Amino acid sequence: MRVSSAAILTLATLAASNVTQQANAAPTQTTNQEDKTATTDVVVVPYVETETAQVETLASPETTYAIEFSSQPVSQPVVVPKNINNNNNKNNNNFTTDANLVVTATNVQIIGANPELEQIIRKVIKTQTGGGTSQNQLQKDVAAILETGLFASANFNSTSTSAGLNVIYQVKPIVVQALQLSGAKVLGYKVALENFQNQIGKDISPAALEKIVQQINQWYAENGYTLARVLSIQPNRQGILTVNVAEGLLGDVKFRFVNEEGQKVDNNGNPIKGRTKADFLRQQLKLQPGKVFEDDLARQDVQTLYKLGLFKTVNVAFEGDATKVDLIYELQEVGARSVNLGGGYNADDGLSVMLSYRDQNVGGVNDTLAANVEVSRQDVLFNTNFTSPYRANNPERLGYNMKTFRRRQVSDTFDDTIKLANGDKVREGKIGGSVSVQQQLDGWDAAVGLNYTRVTIRDRQGNITPRDANNNQLSFSDTGIDDLTTVSFTATKDERDNPVKTTQGSLLSFSTEQSIPVGHGQITMNRLRGNYSQYMPVNLFNSKQPQVFALNLQAGTVVGDLPPYETFNLGGSNSVRGYDAGKVGSGRSYVLASAEYRFPIFPIAGGVLFADFASDLGSGDTVIGDPAGDRNKPGSGFGYGAGVRVDSPLGLIRADYGINDQGDSRVHIGIGQRF
């Protein structure tokens, strides 16, 4: 049986990289291993012998002598001494006359090898005690010894006896003197030498090298380089070990789109096409071609892709081998673009027609455009919103948002408990717009905006009506028309794993909005708000889809002037469920807490158990006209219940049944999660 040293020391069948990296034996500078390219220095570690020895300079390894551990023939030539049938065989004239003459080997000795290397030699030579041998066979044995790559030189001596031939193999094992890394970008000489130090100055040991290979592979795994490994160790006769590694170097980063069924091709066999541009996606990632694959960076990149809000699923695949691998992201896009046409009827406006358009991926670069138009016999209302978000990969470019709107709705502050003098409900009309710019500051998404709104208080026919039937003031200016111009600042820290289907993480935001006293009303106010959401995965029962416990806390207050329509209205589908909108309170300040347990029912449907609480902190009577007190709003309220969530082409449809602490109940319908 022949020993395959390649099986011992070559841990992968991948071809080793041709690029080599080297450094000096005693480096005086620390090398940054992250982005370095391979070099060609040799680490020489001095070995001090017990006796004074002449210091020789080690030559750079020549290709001719770079022998890889293998019991098979190698590509490099092996130099066998010409005097291999040495001159000490003076008494063996008959044996040396015919190189093919077979005689009995009466004794076979090996000199110069330790027990480990001697065992290897005895497995690779064919001359064994008691067996036949010849001059040609002895020469072949010497060649086989050298082909192992473990010996600097080898020869044999033979003497004739009456019974046959005594054979002595004399070998000189390679003494490890230096280390050379090939293909390494993240593995540095400091780490490598820590493992190889015990081998320097000693005879080469396959068992020790095998253990070192395992230690280096373990270092790769512990540091997140899961594709990296040692391919082989190649010694040369000068004692330089070349450690060939493959670290999972990225050749390319690609994107494949899959459909709802997870298929990569359509019915015609063509690849599924996505709307999102590959160049845009590649710019969002930290792992780029030429970098070494790293688990932590891959997880961060998957998180980044989810946070775009464009994908339902993001999976990672590989093509190639560890020497150069292509990283592939398999993406399933959400329905980012929708057009909806609808209609409705209510007692105020009669029949109305509504048209809405939304595209969350304009131009394939995650810009968002939304527009809604509602036409009725009374009015034409609209709302437009365009956002080009800030890109962390392009910090010099500001994100921006532009809005325009014209709205008219029954007031949540002035409900129908007290109406206008003509019996109509109070209606708030708002027209205006805003523009804001976005930037990232120390991990926070910050936005500064300029906003303008003209607010009018009207009856059903559109007539301006500044006071209600009880002569309570409805606008700050007491003319029924207010101009509200503000400068706003918002800071948000989003650490959710997925903004569309959040299963863990948190979202924290703070905002302040300062008005500028211009126009009708000359309003001077500052609105402060804070909002925190926490999401935690739970497992109350076995399910393939995630279960989530979600918590939301909000608080806010207004300092200075407070127009009645700018109060914090509590109650409704986005506040305390079980109450109608604004029925809990209308105050200058508020707190709101909500908790939900979200669980799967079917692949496209889930359930929710919820509880909500809110309070105006006794600030209702500080509002002009005391709209909460005159309408007997309690100022605080509690609601609980259950709901369902259904995925649809329109988005996530929310339906909740809430029961309040007054014993009343309500059904609330909406789009998207409550928070």
Side-chain angles (χ1 to χ4, degrees):
M1 172 181 176
R2 293 176 63 114
V3 173
S4 173
S5 301
I8 296 176
L9 298 172
T10 303
L11 301 186
T13 59
L14 304 172
S17 169
N18 290 327
V19 182
T20 59
Q21 174 198 58
Q22 304 170 345
N24 292 327
T28 57
Q29 296 181 350
T30 300
T31 303
N32 185 347
Q33 300 293 337
E34 287 190 9
D35 298 316
K36 67 183 180 183
T37 57
T39 60
T40 55
D41 298 328
V42 177
V43 171
V44 179
V45 181
Y47 171 64
V48 180
E49 307 224 12
T50 56
E51 297 180 3
T52 304
Q54 182 179 357
V55 178
E56 297 182 0
T57 302
L58 294 179
S60 298
E62 299 178 6
T63 304
T64 303
Y65 296 103
I67 303 170
E68 187 169 357
F69 291 172
S70 175
S71 59
Q72 303 300 322
V74 294
S75 58
Q76 297 86 349
V78 177
V79 178
V80 181
K82 293 181 180 179
N83 62 343
I84 201 164
N85 54 335
N86 75 52
N87 296 326
N88 292 331
N89 298 330
K90 295 180 180 179
N91 299 322
N92 196 15
N93 295 329
N94 293 333
F95 176 71
T96 58
T97 300
D98 186 353
N100 295 313
L101 177 64
V102 177
V103 297
T104 300
T106 57
N107 187 28
V108 177
Q109 299 181 49
I110 299 172
I111 299 176
N114 60 34
E116 179 188 8
L117 295 177
E118 180 177 345
Q119 185 180 14
I120 292 174
I121 291 174
R122 291 193 180 277
K123 288 182 179 181
V124 300
I125 63 177
K126 290 186 177 181
T127 300
Q128 303 292 335
T129 301
T133 190
S134 66
Q135 184 180 13
N136 282 344
Q137 182 57 56
L138 293 175
Q139 292 174 342
K140 290 179 181 179
D141 286 346
V142 170
I145 293 172
L146 293 174
E147 284 178 4
T148 64
L150 301 175
F151 302 94
S153 65
N155 55 46
F156 72 88
N157 291 318
S158 61
T159 57
S160 299
T161 68
S162 59
L165 195 68
N166 289 336
V167 179
I168 299 175
Y169 293 100
Q170 294 181 332
V171 298
K172 182 180 180 181
I174 290 175
V175 177
V176 179
Q177 300 288 357
L179 180 66
Q180 178 175 280
L181 298 180
S182 175
K185 292 191 72 175
V186 295
L187 176 66
Y189 279 105
K190 180 179 180 181
V191 173
L193 284 173
E194 288 176 357
N195 295 283
F196 279 95
Q197 191 65 48
N198 291 334
Q199 277 291 290
I200 303 298
K202 297 180 180 179
D203 290 350
I204 193 167
S205 168
L209 295 181
E210 180 182 6
K211 184 177 180 181
I212 291 171
V213 167
Q214 294 172 352
Q215 292 171 341
I216 293 176
N217 287 342
Q218 183 179 359
W219 180 87
Y220 275 131
E222 290 175 351
N223 287 274
Y225 303 105
T226 52
L227 300 183
R229 68 201 66 186
V230 178
L231 299 179
S232 65
I233 298 179
Q234 293 177 308
N236 69 8
R237 295 181 185 179
Q238 287 77 29
I240 298 175
L241 298 183
T242 299
V243 182
N244 298 302
V245 298
E247 297 184 328
L249 189 68
L250 295 182
D252 197 3
V253 177
K254 302 177 181 179
F255 303 93
R256 288 178 183 163
F257 296 92
V258 299
N259 57 20
E260 293 285 344
E261 291 75 32
Q263 298 173 338
K264 302 173 186 176
V265 295
D266 58 21
N267 294 332
N268 297 322
N270 298 317
I272 300 296
K273 293 183 178 180
R275 292 189 61 213
T276 313
K277 292 183 177 179
D279 288 344
F280 166 74
L281 292 174
R282 196 172 286 110
Q283 291 170 2
Q284 314 307 311
L285 305 178
K286 294 183 178 179
L287 281 174
Q288 297 289 335
K291 284 195 172 184
V292 174
F293 179 83
E294 187 177 353
D295 281 353
D296 287 344
L297 293 182
R299 279 192 289 268
Q300 293 176 32
D301 285 346
V302 169
Q303 199 83 341
T304 297
L305 293 177
Y306 270 126
K307 285 184 177 181
L308 294 176
L310 300 176
F311 306 108
K312 287 184 179 180
T313 60
V314 178
N315 294 313
V316 176
F318 302 96
E319 285 183 351
D321 54 45
T323 56
K324 183 167 285 189
V325 62
D326 289 344
L327 176 61
I328 301 171
Y329 290 95
E330 296 181 347
L331 310 171
Q332 181 183 349
E333 291 182 313
V334 300
R337 184 162 51 191
S338 63
V339 179
N340 299 293
L341 178 65
Y345 175 83
N346 61 55
D348 288 331
D349 299 326
L351 290 173
S352 63
V353 177
M354 293 169 284
L355 176 66
S356 65
Y357 173 83
R358 178 177 176 82
D359 188 350
Q360 193 179 340
N361 199 10
V362 177
V365 294
N366 200 32
D367 289 347
T368 300
L369 172 64
N372 302 280
V373 179
E374 180 178 356
V375 180
S376 68
R377 64 183 180 86
Q378 293 286 348
D379 216 338
V380 176
L381 309 177
F382 60 86
N383 184 26
T384 65
N385 186 336
F386 180 81
T387 301
S388 182
Y390 170 78
R391 319 287 187 195
N393 61 289
N394 187 9
E396 302 301 322
R397 173 191 175 276
L398 295 175
Y400 61 93
N401 171 268
M402 296 182 293
K403 297 179 182 178
T404 61
F405 55 86
R406 190 171 192 267
R407 311 178 190 128
R408 192 179 72 163
Q409 62 186 23
V410 175
S411 174
D412 290 337
T413 304
F414 312 109
D415 61 25
D416 57 3
T417 302
I418 301 177
K419 299 182 179 180
L420 297 176
N422 63 3
D424 287 347
K425 298 177 183 179
V426 179
R427 291 164 176 81
E428 297 174 1
K430 296 182 179 181
I431 185 170
S434 67
V435 60
S436 64
V437 293
Q438 305 160 1
Q439 176 69 286
Q440 195 172 79
L441 301 173
D442 294 330
W444 290 77
D445 295 322
V448 177
L450 178 64
N451 318 281
Y452 170 76
T453 305
R454 166 158 284 196
V455 182
T456 57
I457 307 299
R458 299 174 182 270
D459 62 13
R460 180 181 180 185
Q461 302 302 319
N463 300 313
I464 293 180
T465 310
R467 291 181 176 264
D468 63 19
N470 291 351
N471 203 35
N472 291 316
Q473 187 173 334
L474 303 179
S475 67
F476 190 79
S477 66
D478 203 19
T479 64
I481 302 175
D482 286 345
D483 289 314
L484 186 59
T485 302
T486 65
V487 176
S488 59
F489 173 79
T490 303
T492 303
K493 194 173 189 65
D494 189 348
E495 295 183 336
R496 296 174 294 176
D497 60 342
N498 185 340
V500 179
K501 294 183 178 180
T502 306
T503 60
Q504 61 182 354
S506 63
L507 178 64
L508 176 63
S509 68
F510 297 100
S511 66
T512 178
E513 190 173 4
Q514 175 64 51
S515 69
I516 302 172
V518 294
H520 292 276
Q522 298 287 306
I523 299 169
T524 303
M525 61 174 283
N526 187 281
R527 178 190 294 268
L528 300 168
R529 296 187 70 173
N531 193 325
Y532 176 74
S533 296
Q534 179 69 49
Y535 306 88
M536 294 164 283
V538 295
N539 189 26
L540 302 187
F541 64 92
N542 292 329
S543 63
K544 293 183 179 180
Q545 294 175 291
Q547 305 165 47
V548 180
F549 177 75
L551 178 67
N552 176 250
L553 301 173
Q554 300 180 33
T557 190
V558 175
V559 179
D561 300 334
L562 180 58
Y565 48 82
E566 286 294 311
T567 60
F568 296 107
N569 293 310
L570 306 177
S573 61
N574 292 316
S575 180
V576 181
R577 286 162 284 192
Y579 282 93
D580 277 339
K583 290 294 186 178
V584 173
S586 298
R588 177 181 289 271
S589 304
Y590 85 106
V591 292
L592 171 64
S594 298
E596 292 188 350
Y597 166 57
R598 303 170 182 175
F599 55 91
I601 301 176
F602 303 110
I604 64 168
V608 171
L609 301 177
F610 64 84
D612 305 316
F613 172 80
S615 171
D616 66 5
L617 303 177
S619 64
D621 58 2
T622 65
V623 180
I624 294 174
D626 190 12
D630 281 359
R631 290 162 177 80
N632 297 317
K633 297 182 181 182
S636 64
F638 175 77
Y640 63 93
V644 294
R645 306 289 185 266
V646 179
D647 282 325
S648 76
L650 299 177
L652 187 72
I653 297 177
R654 178 176 85 236
D656 292 329
Y657 177 75
I659 302 171
N660 65 34
D661 53 355
Q662 305 292 324
D664 297 327
S665 61
R666 297 287 185 277
V667 174
H668 304 277
I669 306 294
I671 300 294
Q673 293 284 9
R674 158 73 173 73
F675 57 90

